Every structure is written in C-alpha cells, then in structure tokens.
Amino acid sequence: MRGYIDGRTLLDTAAAAAIGAVVVTAAYLASSPGVLDVLLVAAGSLALAAHRRAPRAVLVVTTLCMFGYAVHARPGSWVALPVVVAVHAVARNGHRAQAVGTGAVFLLGYTTVMLVSVPGVQDTVERMLLLLGWFLCAGVTGLIDKNWQAYLRQTEQRALDAERTREETALRRAGEERLRIARELHDSLTHSISIVKLQAGVAVHLARKRGTEVEPALLAIQEASGEAMRELRSTLEVLRTDVVDPGTGLDRMAELAGRARAAGMALAVAVEGDVRALPADVDGAAYRIVQEALTNVARHADRADTSVRLSYEDTALVVSVDDEGPCLPGDRVTPGTGLTGMRERVTALGGTLETAPRARGGFSVRAELPLAPRRTTG
C-alpha cells in the first residue's frame, strides 16, 4: 500500500510538472514572460500535485496564481489549463458548488481582463466560449469519474458482503446439521444402549443374588454398554457445542481498525470501563456490529471521520459507532441488510439497538449487549 501511494504521488507530481511546462512553453512562444510570470505559472501548476489530498485548497491556489498571471501578462486561453485540471479534481471529489463557483469567477475575471486590454470583442467572446467549454468538460468528467469510483467501491463491497454472508450461512447450516445429528444419535442410540445396560445390570444382580456364577459375557456386556454411554455423551456434547466463527471477536479490533484506516477512513477507537473476558456470542456480535457499521460508513458516508467506543459496564457492553457523514437530522433511513442483521444479532442476545441520524449531522449506531454482573469477593 505504501509503495502504491508513493507511486501515485510521484505520478501526480510528474503530471503537474508537465502541465506547468506546457503553459511556460506556450508563454515563451507567445512572448517573453518575466520572472514573476514564470513563478506564478510554476506555483499554480505544481500545486496540482496535491489535488488528491487537498483538492479545494489546490483549486484556490491554482486559480489565484493563474489569474494573477493573466492580469500581469494577458496571455492566451492556455492560461486556464491548470485551473481546468483543478476544477476537474474538485468535481471528482464531490465539491460541485466550489468547482462551478471558482470556474465562473476565473472565467469572468479573465474575460474582463481581455475586454479591457485586448481590442476586439469578437476575439474575446470566442476565447470565453472556448474556456466555457473547457470548464464544462472538466466538471462533467469529474462527476463521471466520481460516480465511477463510487460504483467500483460499491461493487467491491457487495462482493465482500456476499462472501461474508455465504460464510455465515455455511457456518449456520453446519451448526444446524450438527444439532440434527446430535438429536438423531440421541433418539436412536441412547435409549437402546440404556436398555441393554439396564438389562445386563439386572441379570448380573439376579445371578449374584442366587449365588450363581456370573457369566463373563454378561459382565462384558454391562461394561461395554456403560463405556458406550460415556462415549455417546461425550460425542453429543461436542456436536451440541455452538459453532463460533473463529477470529471474529473484539481481540481483532485493532486489525479491523487498521483495514478501515488503510481504506482512507479517519477512525478513532476508545475503550471505557474495566475490560474483561466476554461470552463468545457477545464478543462475536460486538465485532460484527462494528464491522458492519464501518462498512456502512465506507459505502454510504464516503469514508467520513468515524469514532468507535466500547464501554464495559457492570451489566452490559455498549458499542457506539458515530460518523460525520452527510446524513442530516430528520433524514429517513431505510434499514438494509446490514442494519437488519445488526438488530437480529442484538435482539437474539436480549439487547437493544439504536440507529439514527445524529443531531449535528452524521449517523449513529448504539448497541447495548447484556452481560452477567461481575461477581464481587467479600
């Protein structure tokens, strides 16, 4: 991941330098730019290297630099090239209003400069229409790119959800099959072996009561039937043991948080109270609730800043996941598979689940999972 990020940063820097070189070359072909002109072009173009990390700041810096160059040197339409690229980057990140507003301000300012300094209204109007087309294309392609990236992320997440659902379904069916086998063994074998053991015991007792020698075969039957009962009980205990999905407990919270941060989510995790060992079903449910909540943030809140809080109380474990996404107070949220699955898990444990938009924006998930009170030693 680190190498991928470094390679992408290097590519962005090279592209920004290439754009600056194109604008400087065009400036030298048109006239002899001064040192200030070159500095403005270089600053406005090289700022584009940071368009992934701070697209709006890059748009402001690039627009100011190129507009300053336009006022000072009155160049041709190519002066808008870095601004067009910055508008595309801002639109791709979802800031449509700023992209439209900044593009319109630059276009209006450049047109005003050309009308004041260059005689001939027709030439200025032609340049303005050309730049208008550039800015429209930049905005539209930026939005298309944003929607495409969102579609790819959603498709990938759906594939992960489908795989996880298949695994959970397979585990559940395996558990149901184990219970069915346990019931069948109990119904078909336990009664028969118990009768054999009982009859053998009665025969041994009667033989000893009459003072006759007990047949070795009878003793063997009694011992074998008792051993068979013990083995059968042991097997039934194994089959009736709950099938717990390995590696889905809060002990893997650090790994889960690391994956979320690697995906671009600013995540804070806090633990409150006296941490203690949890029952397997509560531990697994808490992990799944946090996992599903972070998945929803990635899918529906564009990886907004998120906080996870685990509160160990005397009789409950409280799991809270709050994000700062685009959801507004009063927005109607239709529960999907994720929220429905959360509620089913919590309800099965006798807990409560609250999911709703936050008062100051974003979305909140709060689950309270009951725990047995801790024993106190006196």
Side-chain angles (χ1 to χ4, degrees), residues 210-233:
R210 289 194 300 266
T212 59
E213 183 179 359
V214 179
E215 293 292 336
L218 195 58
L219 293 174
I221 293 173
Q222 185 183 34
E223 182 179 355
S225 60
E227 181 65 23
M229 285 294 297
R230 288 190 293 271
E231 291 291 339
L232 183 58
R233 290 194 185 98

Side-chain angles (χ1 to χ4, degrees), residues 277-348:
L278 300 173
D281 51 356
V282 174
D283 194 23
Y287 177 89
R288 288 301 192 192
I289 289 170
V290 175
Q291 183 185 48
E292 189 60 43
L294 295 181
T295 299
N296 288 338
V297 172
R299 292 178 59 185
H300 306 298
D302 198 18
R303 296 168 290 181
D305 293 353
T306 306
S307 63
V308 175
R309 186 172 67 256
L310 303 174
S311 300
Y312 287 80
E313 300 179 356
D314 184 47
T315 60
L317 172 68
V318 180
V319 180
S320 301
V321 182
D322 300 323
D323 68 72
E324 299 179 7
C327 192
L328 299 176
D331 284 356
R332 183 177 180 180
V333 178
T334 302
T337 305
L339 293 180
T340 302
M342 285 187 203
R343 190 168 301 280
E344 290 173 351
R345 290 178 185 277
V346 174
T347 302

Side-chain angles (χ1 to χ4, degrees), residues 346-375:
V346 174
T347 302
L349 296 175
T352 58
L353 178 69
E354 298 175 3
T355 58
R358 302 169 65 200
R360 58 177 181 271
F363 197 76
S364 175
V365 173
R366 185 181 185 277
E368 185 172 338
L369 306 175
L371 296 175
R374 284 175 292 186
R375 296 180 181 179

Side-chain angles (χ1 to χ4, degrees), residues 169-250:
T169 302
L171 288 172
R172 185 178 67 252
R173 289 178 177 174
E176 294 172 352
E177 182 65 15
R178 287 159 67 101
L179 291 176
R180 188 190 67 80
I181 294 174
R183 287 193 299 267
E184 292 293 334
L185 287 176
H186 180 273
D187 295 340
S188 61
L189 297 180
T190 304
H191 177 72
S192 299
I193 296 177
S194 297
I195 294 298
V196 171
K197 184 175 183 297
L198 177 62
Q199 290 178 345
V202 170
V204 171
H205 174 72
L206 292 176
R208 288 173 177 170
K209 186 176 181 180
R210 289 194 300 266
T212 59
E213 183 179 359
V214 179
E215 293 292 336
L218 195 58
L219 293 174
I221 293 173
Q222 185 183 34
E223 182 179 355
S225 60
E227 181 65 23
M229 285 294 297
R230 288 190 293 271
E231 291 291 339
L232 183 58
R233 290 194 185 98
S234 177
T235 301
L236 292 178
E237 288 178 1
V238 172
L239 290 175
R240 289 185 179 277
T241 300
D242 291 337
V243 181
V244 180
D245 189 2
T248 55
L250 294 181

Side-chain angles (χ1 to χ4, degrees), residues 74-304:
R74 297 170 179 81
S77 303
W78 37 265
V79 69
L81 178 59
V83 183
V84 170
V85 176
V87 167
H88 170 85
V90 170
R92 185 184 59 194
N93 281 272
H95 308 296
R96 290 176 291 181
Q98 186 166 356
V100 173
T102 306
V105 169
F106 180 85
L107 183 59
L108 180 61
Y110 179 76
T111 303
T112 303
V113 171
M114 291 297 102
L115 287 175
V116 172
S117 60
V118 179
V121 177
Q122 181 178 357
D123 181 63
T124 301
V125 171
E126 290 177 354
R127 291 187 182 186
M128 182 191 69
L129 293 177
L130 176 63
L131 291 181
L132 178 61
W134 287 6
F135 280 114
L136 287 175
C137 288
V140 170
T141 55
L143 292 177
I144 292 175
D145 192 8
K146 176 180 180 295
N147 293 333
W148 176 250
Q149 294 299 327
Y151 170 76
L152 291 180
R153 289 196 299 269
Q154 187 176 19
T155 301
E156 181 180 359
Q157 190 59 50
R158 284 178 177 174
L160 293 175
D161 291 344
E163 181 178 357
R164 186 181 63 196
T165 301
R166 285 195 298 269
E167 292 176 354
E168 293 179 351
T169 302
L171 288 172
R172 185 178 67 252
R173 289 178 177 174
E176 294 172 352
E177 182 65 15
R178 287 159 67 101
L179 291 176
R180 188 190 67 80
I181 294 174
R183 287 193 299 267
E184 292 293 334
L185 287 176
H186 180 273
D187 295 340
S188 61
L189 297 180
T190 304
H191 177 72
S192 299
I193 296 177
S194 297
I195 294 298
V196 171
K197 184 175 183 297
L198 177 62
Q199 290 178 345
V202 170
V204 171
H205 174 72
L206 292 176
R208 288 173 177 170
K209 186 176 181 180
R210 289 194 300 266
T212 59
E213 183 179 359
V214 179
E215 293 292 336
L218 195 58
L219 293 174
I221 293 173
Q222 185 183 34
E223 182 179 355
S225 60
E227 181 65 23
M229 285 294 297
R230 288 190 293 271
E231 291 291 339
L232 183 58
R233 290 194 185 98
S234 177
T235 301
L236 292 178
E237 288 178 1
V238 172
L239 290 175
R240 289 185 179 277
T241 300
D242 291 337
V243 181
V244 180
D245 189 2
T248 55
L250 294 181
D251 56 336
R252 296 190 62 191
M253 180 59 66
E255 180 181 343
L256 181 61
R259 291 201 301 267
R261 295 188 182 108
M265 186 185 302
L267 178 64
V269 179
V271 180
E272 301 173 352
D274 295 329
V275 179
R276 64 184 188 272
L278 300 173
D281 51 356
V282 174
D283 194 23
Y287 177 89
R288 288 301 192 192
I289 289 170
V290 175
Q291 183 185 48
E292 189 60 43
L294 295 181
T295 299
N296 288 338
V297 172
R299 292 178 59 185
H300 306 298
D302 198 18
R303 296 168 290 181

